[in-house]
Amino acid sequence: MKGANRIYLARVQAAAAIAVGLLVLGASATQGQPREPLIFEHFALDAGLDDYIVYSAARDARGFLWVGTQKGLNRFDGARFHSFSLSVEGEPRAMTAREVVLDTAVLGGVWVATASQGLRRYAPDTRQLSPYTHASHGLASDTVTALLSDASGTLWVGTRSAGLSRLRPDANRFDSVSAALPARHVTALALGSAWPDLLWVGTNQGLALLDARTGETVALSEDRSSLVYRTAISAITEVAGQIWIATRNGTLFSADPETGRLRQFEHPDIDGRRGAISSLSASSLWPHVLWAGTRRGGVIALDTKTGDVSTYSSTLTHNDVLAVHEDGEGLLWVGTVLGLNKARLVPPRFAPDPSDAMLRERAPAVLTLHEPTSNPDVILLSLARDGLHVYDRVTQRRRSADIEGLPNLIFTLHEDGRGHLWIGGRSTSLYRWDRTTNQLDAFSLTEGRPTDIRHIYESPRHPGTLWIATSRLGLIEFDAERTQILRRYDSAGDAAQALSTDDLWRVHTVPTDRDGLWIATRGGGLNRLDLPTGTVAHWSATDHPTCVPGNDLPAIASTPDGALWLGSTDGGIARFDSTGQTCERFTPAHGLSHVDAVSLLPDPLGRLWIGSSNGLTLFDPGARSFTTFSHEDGLQGDIFTVSAHQLTARGAMLLGGTDGFNQFYPDRIAVDETPPRVAITSLYVDGESYPLQETADGYAPVELAHTQRDIAVEFAALDLRQPGKNRYAVWLEGAEPAWRQLGTQASARYPVAPFGRHTLHVRGTNRDGIWSSEAASLPIIIRPPAWQTWWFWTLAALAVLGVVVAGYQYRIQQLVRVERTRRRIADDLHDDIGSKVSNVALRLDLAGRNPALPEGDRSHLADLAQTARTVVDDLRDAVWIVDAGHDDLAAVVTRMEQFADSMTRGRRLRFTRPDALPPVPLTMDARRHLYLLFKESIHNAVRHGGADTVEVHVAYENTRFQLTVQDDGVGFDLATVRRGRGLETMRRRAEALGGTLNVESTPGAGTTVRFETALG
C-alpha cells in the first residue's frame, strides 16, 4: 500500500503544474455565472418523451441528446423524441435507464445502465439495443448503477451488489476488479485529467481511489474520519482540474490538485439544505462553474473559483432533480421527476430596452422612433394611442413629451438640417417642433376629414424639400423653408403624371438614380416620379411578379451598392430592377421568417434587417443567407411596426414593435457560422416504420419492391438551441430536378416514388440559417415490376421474334405449298384438259371436211371447232394466270404483248414498252385483273371497233404503272354505252388494282383507254 501511496504522490506532484495551468487559463476565460433567472423549456409526454421521470441526459458527438427515463432510452434530435423501450413484460420498471454513457471506444455506441437487466448497448449501424447481461458477458451483476469510459477504451461498470467490473476493448467479457472498496454498492465513477490513471469510485458507504491500470487501492489521506469515507456518495466530476464529490446528505467535497487532500465546501445553500445532491456536471461555457442537481432544491451553480452559489428552481417542472448536463452548445439539460428541462445559458444577442416593462404597461406598440442628431442621449418614441414620448438613455426613464396640439397617433418623425422635428400623424396638418424653444407649428394640408401622414422624406440631393406620403391625398411636395405646398401628385388628371393610387406608404431615392423619386404604395405597387418632367411610371405585382413582390409595399430601401429593395405584406422581398433584367425575389421558401416585410433597414455592410410579424431577419444578399431572430434572442417581441426603425448617426439600429423597442449595433450581433450535422432519423414505407442501417459513409441502401412506393422520411439538423428555426431542403435524385425547400418542416413524403435507383439528399440549417456543409444521403432502390424490367422485355422481344420467325416460316411454307399446287393445277390443265379439248377441235375440223355431209352440217361442225379452239385459248390464259412462275410485272407485260400480237394479225400493231422492267411482284389476283383489263381493251378495239391500227404503250416510273390502248376504229358514243357490261367490268378491275381508268371515244374517230396505278 505504501508503494501505491508513493505512486499517487508522484502523480499529484506531476499534475500540480497542469492544475496551475488550468487555473491561469480559467482566469482568462469567460467569468461569472449564467444570467438570472434561467428560463427553462419543458419536455414531457406531450413532446414525445416516453416517461416523466428522467434519470440521465447526455449529448453525443453527432449532436443527438440521449435521455434515460424510468421506461427506457430516448433520443432527441430537436424536432422529436425517438423512444427505445427497455421494459420487460410483467416487470415494467426493470429496465429503467439509470445512466447513459456515450460513444465509448468499446465497440462504440451508447451504453445504458438498467435496474436489473444489465447493460444495453445501442448500435448506430443497426439501431438496436443489444443486451450485455450477467449470463451472456460475465457481468458481476445485472443491476448496473454507474458507468464510465476511459481514454484507453475500457468500460467501467459499477453494480449494486457485486462491486466494480470492467470491459476491456480487446475482450468481449467483463472481469471483476478485486480492489477493496468501502462497499459492494458502487454509486459513482470518475476520472480526472490531472490524474488520468486514478479512478475515483463512490459507494453507498464512502469513497475509494483505484489505480486504473492495476486495479489496486490508492490511499487518499491519513484522515479517515472525514464524512467522505463514511457517507453514501451520489456523484463525482471534475471542474477546472479539481475532483468534486457529492454525498447523498447534500455535502460537497473537493480534492486539492497539489496535495490530493479532500476538503469540504461549506455554503448555507448547499450543506444539505436543499436535500441530497443527485448529480454533478462541469460547465463548458464557464470553466469554473459546477452544476449540481438536488433532490428538493432545483439546480445549483457553484463558481468553484470565487465560491459564489446561485440557485435555479422557479421555472423547472419540479425541484426534485435527478440529472444535470451542460452540452457544447451552451444548453443546460435538467432531468426531474416531472420531465426534461432545457435552458439556454448564452445571454440573448439583443438586449431589450430597460423601459420595455413600462412601455408594455401603458401602450405596447411603438409606431415610430427617432434619435435626434443634436442629442443622441434621448430617443423620441411614438406610442399607440399615447402620443409622443422621450426616452432618456442615461436615466433609462421615459416621459411624455407634453406637447399640446399633437395627434395621439403619430406615424412618422423627421429631423431637418436645422434641428427641427417634423411630425406626421392622423391629422389634417403637418407639424414642426422646435425642441430648443418647445414651439409647435401646424401647417394645414387638407380640410375636413384627416389623413394619415405615413412618411416624411427629405432627399439628400434636394435639402429643404419635404416629400409627404399620405393615406388619401397622394404625394405632397412641401417647401420646409417657406412652409408651403409646392405641388400635389395623385391618381387623378393626366395619366402620364398620375400615381397608381393615392394611398402611399413611403418615399425613397436611390443614389444611382439622380432624377427619380420612388414611391411605395398601399395597393398600387411601385411608382417612380421623374422629377424633371413630372411623369410617373408604374410597376405592379401582376405585370412584374419577380420584380415587385406585392402591390402593398410598406417597405422600401437601398443598399450601398445602389440596389433598390422592396418589402410587401404578402409576398416577401425583392431586389428591384426597372429594366426587369436582374430582378430577384425572396420568400419564406428561401429563408424569410414570414411572407410580410414591413420594414427594411440596410446596415453599412450591405445587409438588410427585415422586420416582420414573425421576428427580425438578417439577410446577406451576397451570401444569400437568412438569419432570423425572435423574442428568444432578446428582441422586444416578434411583431415589428412599419415606421419604427432608424440607423442612427453613431451606427446603432433602433427597431420598435408591439412590445417596445431594441437598440443595437449590427456588427456586434453574432451569427453562428458553424454548419450543423444533418441526420435522417426515420424512414416510413407505406405508413410503416422501416429499419435504417447506418454505415461509416452514411446509410446503407434501402431496397424496396415495386408495391412499396409510398416513402416518408424524418430528419433533423442537430442544432438544439432553437430547433424551431432550423430549415430544410430535400432532393430525391432521380425523381426531382432540383432541391426542394421545406422551410422548418422536418419531414418529406413521396406518395408515388418512381421506380429505379434514387438517392435522397437532405440539407439543413442551424438556427442562424447556415446550411450544412454536407447533405445526409440515403440510397433508395425501388425495383420495378417484372413487366417493366429489361430482362422481361428482352425475353418478351425474343418470344415475339420467335413467333414472328415461326409465322414467317409457316407463311413461306404455305406459299410454297400454294405455288406447288398452282403449278400442278396449271400442268394438269395444260397437259390433260387442254390436250383433250385441242383433240376435240381437231376431230371437228376433220369431220367438217367430209364432202358427204351437207353444207349446213359442215358449217355447224366448223363453228364447234372454232369454239373448241377458243376454249383452248381461254384455258391457256387460265393456265398462265394460275402458274406461279409468272408472278411479276415483266411476265404480265410480255403476256400482254403476245396476246396483242395474236389478236391483231392482219392489222397494224405498235407495242411500246420499257426495255427492262424492275422485278415488281404481283399477286395472282393482280395479274388476273391487269391482264384481263388489257385483254378486254384489245377485244373491243379489234372485234367491236374494227380498228386497222392498234397502239399499245406501257410505262413504269417511280412505282407508277401506266397502260394506254389506242385504236382508229369506229368509236362509239360514251353516253350510249357508258353502262355497257364490258366497260363496267374494266372499271371494277381498275378499282381492284387501286388505279384509275379513263376511256375516251368519239364515233368515227377511234377509242383510247388509259389506265394508271401504283405497283411495287
Side-chain angles (χ1 to χ4, degrees):
M1 187 64 69
K2 291 182 178 179
N5 287 337
R6 286 196 298 269
I7 294 174
Y8 165 72
L9 291 175
R11 289 172 183 166
V12 168
Q13 291 173 356
I18 300 175
V20 172
L22 290 172
L23 292 173
V24 173
L25 179 61
S28 63
T30 303
Q31 298 297 315
Q33 292 177 243
R35 57 185 169 85
E36 289 276 7
L38 289 178
I39 306 300
F40 286 95
E41 182 181 355
H42 308 143
F43 303 92
L45 300 182
D46 56 351
L49 201 61
D50 67 353
D51 194 75
Y52 282 108
I53 302 179
V54 177
Y55 285 104
S56 55
R59 193 90 179 265
D60 67 14
R62 296 183 63 189
F64 288 111
L65 177 75
W66 295 88
V67 182
T69 70
Q70 181 172 259
K71 288 186 178 179
L73 181 66
N74 297 260
R75 189 187 69 187
F76 183 53
D77 56 32
R80 58 189 68 85
F81 285 91
H82 293 265
S83 299
F84 305 90
S85 177
L86 300 176
S87 61
V88 177
E89 186 177 356
E91 198 174 1
R93 296 191 179 184
M95 300 293 280
T96 296
R98 293 284 184 180
E99 192 165 349
V100 178
V101 171
L102 304 172
D103 299 330
T104 72
V106 183
L107 301 178
V110 178
W111 294 80
V112 187
T114 71
S116 64
Q117 297 294 320
L119 283 177
R120 288 291 171 114
R121 173 183 173 268
Y122 173 83
D125 53 348
T126 62
R127 298 196 174 190
Q128 299 294 322
L129 283 165
S130 304
Y132 278 73
T133 61
H134 174 78
S136 61
H137 294 81
L139 189 60
S141 172
D142 286 339
T143 301
V144 180
T145 54
L147 291 176
L148 176 66
S149 176
D150 64 21
S152 69
T154 298
L155 180 67
W156 298 86
V157 182
T159 66
R160 180 180 294 275
S161 59
L164 186 64
S165 297
R166 61 185 173 188
L167 179 63
R168 298 182 185 274
D170 55 352
N172 195 33
R173 292 185 64 81
F174 290 90
D175 61 85
S176 179
V177 177
S178 59
L181 300 175
R184 306 292 288 174
H185 183 180
V186 178
T187 57
L189 296 169
L191 287 166
S193 59
W195 304 283
D197 295 330
L198 298 181
L199 177 66
W200 298 80
V201 183
T203 72
N204 68 334
Q205 295 183 22
L207 180 70
L209 185 63
L210 303 183
D211 188 318
R213 297 179 301 175
T214 66
E216 295 181 0
T217 303
V218 178
L220 293 172
S221 70
E222 299 299 328
D223 183 9
R224 304 294 296 179
S225 64
S226 172
L227 285 174
V228 77
Y229 296 106
R230 297 180 286 107
T231 306
I233 306 300
S234 58
I236 310 173
T237 193
E238 180 187 25
V239 177
Q242 286 182 310
I243 294 293
W244 286 81
I245 304 140
T247 67
R248 288 187 180 174
N249 63 9
T251 307
L252 270 178
F253 293 86
S254 65
D256 191 304
E258 296 184 1
T259 65
R261 291 184 179 273
L262 298 175
R263 60 184 177 184
Q264 182 177 343
F265 178 80
E266 298 181 358
H267 192 281
D269 279 342
I270 301 180
D271 294 343
R273 295 178 181 274
R274 296 183 175 274
I277 296 177
S278 58
S279 59
L280 297 175
S281 177
S283 173
S284 58
L285 190 61
W286 295 282
H288 293 278
V289 169
L290 172 68
W291 296 102
T294 70
R295 291 308 304 261
R296 64 172 183 263
V299 176
I300 295 173
L302 166 63
D303 190 325
T304 61
K305 186 175 182 181
T306 65
D308 295 335
V309 172
S310 301
T311 59
Y312 307 93
S313 61
S314 61
T315 60
L316 285 173
T317 53
H318 201 280
N319 288 336
D320 193 348
V321 175
L322 302 176
V324 178
H325 171 69
E326 181 187 325
D327 64 21
E329 286 185 344
L331 300 176
L332 182 67
W333 302 90
V334 180
T336 73
V337 297
L338 203 59
L340 180 68
N341 299 259
K342 180 185 82 170
R344 290 192 294 140
L345 302 176
V346 179
R349 290 177 279 196
F350 298 86
D353 189 87
S355 66
D356 273 357
M358 290 186 292
L359 293 177
R360 278 193 285 269
E361 290 174 3
R362 299 189 59 183
V366 176
L367 300 182
T368 189
L369 43 73
H370 177 72
E371 178 189 281
T373 56
S374 58
N375 187 5
D377 290 333
V378 301
I379 299 175
L380 301 176
L381 302 172
S382 166
L383 304 184
R385 302 179 303 277
D386 203 16
L388 191 64
H389 288 247
V390 179
Y391 170 70
D392 192 318
R393 279 197 175 102
V394 178
T395 64
Q396 297 184 353
R397 294 182 178 275
R398 175 183 54 83
R399 60 177 175 81
S400 174
D402 292 330
I403 305 174
E404 294 292 335
L406 283 178
N408 285 334
L409 289 176
I410 296 174
F411 302 118
T412 180
L413 301 171
H414 172 72
E415 185 179 8
D416 65 17
R418 297 184 178 182
H420 293 154
L421 186 70
W422 295 86
I423 304 171
R426 182 164 295 174
S427 174
T428 59
S429 301
L430 173 69
Y431 298 90
R432 184 182 65 188
W433 179 38
D434 189 335
R435 294 184 63 249
T436 59
T437 63
N438 201 33
Q439 179 181 347
L440 181 70
D441 297 312
F443 306 100
S444 177
L445 299 180
T446 183
E447 296 180 359
R449 185 162 62 95
T451 186
D452 288 348
I453 299 176
R454 294 201 178 111
H455 190 210
I456 301 172
Y457 180 76
E458 186 175 6
S459 172
R461 291 199 185 95
H462 305 91
T465 299
L466 302 181
W467 296 93
I468 304 169
T470 71
S471 63
R472 66 182 188 86
L473 301 177
L475 181 66
I476 298 174
E477 185 180 0
F478 188 85
D479 190 324
E481 295 182 1
R482 293 183 291 175
T483 64
Q484 63 181 19
I485 297 174
L486 299 179
R487 185 174 176 181
R488 298 179 186 266
Y489 298 86
D490 54 30
S491 59
D494 185 5
Q497 296 182 331
L499 300 176
S500 59
T501 179
D502 294 332
D503 197 353
L504 311 182
W505 276 116
R506 298 186 69 80
V507 183
H508 188 71
T509 57
V510 182
T512 55
D513 183 8
R514 298 184 59 85
D515 298 326
L517 187 70
W518 296 88
I519 307 163
T521 75
R522 185 178 184 180
L526 181 67
N527 290 212
R528 179 188 179 273
L529 171 63
D530 188 79
L531 296 176
T533 63
T535 58
V536 180
H538 309 141
W539 290 267
S540 71
T542 304
D543 299 331
H544 306 86
T546 304
C547 298
V548 181
N551 288 327
D552 192 359
L553 302 173
I556 183 171
S558 57
T559 47
D561 61 356
L564 182 65
W565 293 88
L566 305 174
S568 71
T569 57
D570 58 2
I573 67 171
R575 184 184 188 277
F576 178 80
D577 173 19
S578 60
T579 66
Q581 301 299 315
T582 59
C583 292
E584 203 167 6
R585 184 177 172 187
F586 302 91
T587 66
H590 301 91
L592 276 177
S593 61
H594 204 260
V595 294
D596 67 322
V598 299
S599 63
L600 295 175
L601 190 57
D603 65 18
L605 300 177
R607 304 175 301 177
L608 280 175
W609 295 81
I610 307 165
S612 72
S613 62
N614 191 34
L616 179 67
T617 299
L618 171 60
F619 173 49
D620 187 336
R624 297 295 191 271
S625 63
F626 293 85
T627 302
T628 298
F629 307 99
S630 67
H631 67 279
E632 295 180 349
D633 297 293
L635 291 175
Q636 51 81 31
D638 290 336
I639 302 178
F640 291 83
T641 46
V642 173
S643 299
H645 59 274
Q646 181 191 9
L647 180 65
T648 69
R650 297 183 301 174
M653 279 189 172
L654 302 177
L655 284 165
T658 57
D659 291 296
F661 71 96
N662 293 89
Q663 48 185 338
F664 62 92
Y665 289 90
D667 57 345
R668 299 178 187 176
I669 302 300
V671 175
D672 185 1
E673 300 287 345
T674 305
R677 295 190 65 171
V678 178
I680 298 175
T681 57
S682 298
L683 171 66
Y684 298 92
V685 177
D686 294 334
E688 299 292 334
S689 179
Y690 195 92
L692 282 174
Q693 183 177 356
E694 297 185 32
T695 65
D697 299 329
Y699 300 90
V702 173
E703 294 193 24
L704 305 175
H706 70 277
T707 56
Q708 299 174 298
R709 301 178 63 187
D710 187 349
I711 300 173
V713 289
E714 294 176 344
F715 32 80
L718 299 176
D719 179 0
L720 306 190
R721 291 168 296 181
Q722 294 171 277
K725 292 183 178 181
N726 300 343
R727 303 196 315 276
Y728 301 93
V730 296
W731 175 32
L732 186 59
E733 186 179 0
E736 293 179 299
W739 287 92
R740 178 160 54 98
Q741 299 290 331
L742 299 178
T744 58
Q745 178 182 327
S747 62
R749 183 185 174 200
Y750 298 88
V752 187
F755 303 122
R757 294 179 176 269
H758 313 293
T759 301
L760 178 68
H761 304 283
V762 181
R763 296 180 63 206
T765 72
N766 63 7
R767 63 169 179 166
D768 287 345
I770 303 302
W771 286 96
S772 54
S773 55
E774 295 182 359
S777 299
L778 174 65
I780 299 176
I781 303 171
I782 305 179
R783 297 188 300 272
W787 58 86
Q788 292 191 17
T789 58
W790 66 270
W791 55 265
F792 175 86
W793 287 108
T794 300
L795 292 178
L798 292 175
V800 171
L801 180 61
V803 172
V804 171
V805 170
Y808 178 75
Q809 291 179 343
Y810 177 78
R811 176 62 177 165
I812 294 299
Q813 293 174 358
Q814 288 295 101
L815 291 175
V816 170
R817 283 196 292 271
V818 170
E819 184 176 345
R820 289 175 180 173
T821 301
R822 289 169 57 191
R823 287 184 181 275
R824 185 173 64 253
I825 293 173
D827 292 343
D828 291 345
L829 289 175
H830 182 273
D831 296 339
D832 187 10
I833 300 176
S835 61
K836 289 179 179 180
V837 175
S838 297
N839 188 32
V840 169
L842 181 60
R843 290 180 178 276
L844 288 173
D845 280 337
L846 291 176
R849 294 175 184 173
N850 187 356
L853 291 175
E855 182 63 25
D857 293 339
R858 286 199 300 273
S859 176
H860 181 65
L861 290 174
D863 291 339
L864 289 175
Q866 182 59 35
T867 301
R869 282 192 291 273
T870 302
V871 170
V872 171
D873 291 340
D874 292 341
L875 188 58
R876 289 173 179 168
D877 288 341
V879 169
W880 180 84
I881 292 172
V882 171
D883 193 350
H886 307 299
D887 287 348
D888 63 84
L889 181 61
V892 175
V893 173
T894 299
R895 182 68 178 178
M896 291 164 55
E897 187 175 6
Q898 292 173 354
F899 176 75
D901 184 66
S902 64
M903 283 296 295
T904 57
R905 288 176 182 173
R907 295 177 174 81
R908 290 186 295 275
L909 173 67
R910 288 197 290 271
F911 196 103
T912 59
R913 56 174 291 178
D915 295 335
L917 287 171
V920 180
L922 298 176
T923 64
M924 185 175 69
D925 283 343
R927 285 195 300 126
R928 174 172 170 272
H929 286 302
L930 182 60
Y931 177 67
L932 294 182
L933 185 150
F934 173 76
K935 188 175 180 180
E936 183 69 20
S937 300
I938 297 297
H939 271 296
N940 290 337
V942 173
R943 294 181 178 177
H944 302 299
D948 294 328
T949 302
V950 178
E951 295 183 5
V952 178
H953 178 71
V954 176
Y956 184 83
E957 185 176 0
N958 296 328
T959 72
R960 300 297 298 180
F961 174 80
Q962 294 179 341
L963 171 65
T964 304
V965 179
Q966 185 176 0
D967 65 70
D968 59 355
V970 297
F972 59 90
D973 186 357
L974 288 174
T976 304
V977 299
R978 183 175 296 276
R979 297 184 180 179
R981 180 173 178 81
L983 289 178
E984 189 64 26
T985 301
M986 292 173 64
R987 287 193 176 90
R988 284 201 301 271
R989 296 190 188 281
E991 292 175 359
L993 290 169
T996 58
L997 180 70
N998 185 26
V999 179
E1000 298 177 0
S1001 182
T1002 302
T1007 301
T1008 301
V1009 177
R1010 291 186 177 88
F1011 169 73
E1012 184 175 355
T1013 189
L1015 297 177

